[in-house]
Amino acid sequence: DIVMSQSPDSLAVSLGERATINCKSSQTILYNSQNYLAWYQHKPGQPPNLLIHWASTRESGVPDRFSGSGSGTDFTLTISSLQAEDVAVYYCQQYYSTPTFGQGTKVEI
Amino acid sequence: EVRLVESGGGLVQPGGSLRLSCAASGFSFDDYAMHWVRQAPGKGLEWVSTINWNGVSIDFADSVKGRFTLSRDNTKNSLYLQMNSLRAEDTAFYYCAKDINSNYAQHTFDFWGQGTLVTVSS
């Protein structure tokens, strides 16, 4: 299985500041110019929420302060201006093969 | 509005069985692959199983293969996860999730239920 590794495990960001989460896959998840990577936001007591897929395609209704980038094996989720409601655990997930998730990154204020 | 409602969780002894159900509404259920994803207490997310739109293609994580079965009833817009030979390490919230793609199982999960808790303990 492809192993997904996120860094850092947690980070504290001031309101209005940028948060950056990194995700690395153990092998390439790029095929036919598409990166098979999604990002989810998971708040306590709620189900996970899909933010981004194909590494950079934002889901409908997701604020544009969330953006995804990267290719091949290295990916980034950026929250350009952190809001209080963004406090959550964020997971990357590859769907190139048997789906696997990163261990999660906890974002706090 | 897409809704996924899981049921059937509870406390079960090691070696026991449980059947989880997921009732879907708000979309054309028989157009989409469906999935189960779990989260053990204090742990991350783990994909468990996928069934394609017509139930012909089913996949399982190695951790549950041979113990869990997955089925769907498109006439009832429902998904079923039969869990046998349960172990302590199966203790988790189990989420039913819809695939984002109506053409094939992309394994990207755009809608999730609230989850149902399975506790395996003596």
Side-chain angles (χ1 to χ4, degrees):
Chain A
D1 288 0
I2 297 175
V3 177
M4 307 300 288
S5 300
Q6 293 180 227
S7 62
D9 288 335
S10 65
L11 76 161
V13 178
S14 300
L15 288 173
E17 296 300 306
R18 178 184 300 259
T20 301
I21 300 169
N22 300 302
C23 175
K24 188 175 183 67
S25 56
S26 60
Q27 64 187 73
T28 186
I29 54 175
L30 171 65
Y31 179 74
N32 277 359
S33 302
Q34 293 275 35
N35 289 284
Y36 285 60
L37 184 99
W39 288 97
Y40 298 86
Q41 175 191 64
H42 195 189
K43 298 180 180 180
Q46 297 183 23
N49 179 42
L50 175 66
L51 297 174
I52 286 167
H53 61 117
W54 299 124
S56 60
T57 300
R58 198 181 304 116
E59 258 297 87
S60 174
V62 173
D64 60 8
R65 63 180 180 274
F66 292 91
S67 63
S69 62
S71 185
T73 61
D74 293 281
F75 302 90
T76 300
L77 175 70
T78 301
I79 310 173
S80 60
S81 177
L82 192 79
Q83 304 301 303
E85 61 265 32
D86 301 335
V87 169
V89 178
Y90 292 84
Y91 294 93
C92 61
Q93 177 233 333
Q94 64 80 19
Y95 46 99
Y96 179 90
S97 62
T98 301
T100 50
F101 292 86
Q103 80 276 18
T105 295
K106 186 174 186 179
V107 174
E108 301 172 300
I109 293 175
Chain B
E1 177 194 5
V2 172
R3 284 198 75 205
L4 299 170
V5 180
E6 302 94 338
S7 60
L11 175 64
V12 62
Q13 293 188 337
S17 298
L18 273 180
R19 188 196 197 207
L20 304 185
S21 299
C22 173
S25 61
F27 65 103
S28 297
F29 181 73
D30 54 6
D31 281 344
Y32 291 89
M34 296 294 295
H35 314 271
W36 289 94
V37 177
R38 70 184 180 182
Q39 183 177 36
K43 303 293 185 182
L45 299 171
E46 178 189 19
W47 169 78
V48 174
S49 186
T50 294
I51 187 167
N52 77 326
W53 69 274
N54 63 2
V56 169
S57 177
I58 302 172
D59 292 319
F60 295 96
D62 287 345
S63 56
V64 306
K65 200 170 291 184
R67 300 187 297 121
F68 289 12
T69 59
L70 183 57
S71 61
R72 65 190 294 162
D73 186 339
N74 288 345
T75 66
K76 296 182 178 179
N77 288 354
S78 293
L79 182 69
Y80 307 102
L81 183 67
Q82 178 66 42
M83 305 186 296
N84 299 327
S85 303
L86 282 162
R87 306 167 179 167
E89 54 265 36
D90 296 317
T91 295
F93 267 98
Y94 284 73
Y95 295 99
C96 167
K98 170 188 166 291
D99 200 283
I100 195 172
N101 196 317
S102 62
N103 295 316
Y104 65 96
Q106 182 176 312
H107 295 90
T108 307
F109 318 119
D110 64 343
F111 287 94
W112 301 58
Q114 290 294 322
T116 187
L117 178 61
V118 172
T119 304
V120 184
S121 174
S122 54

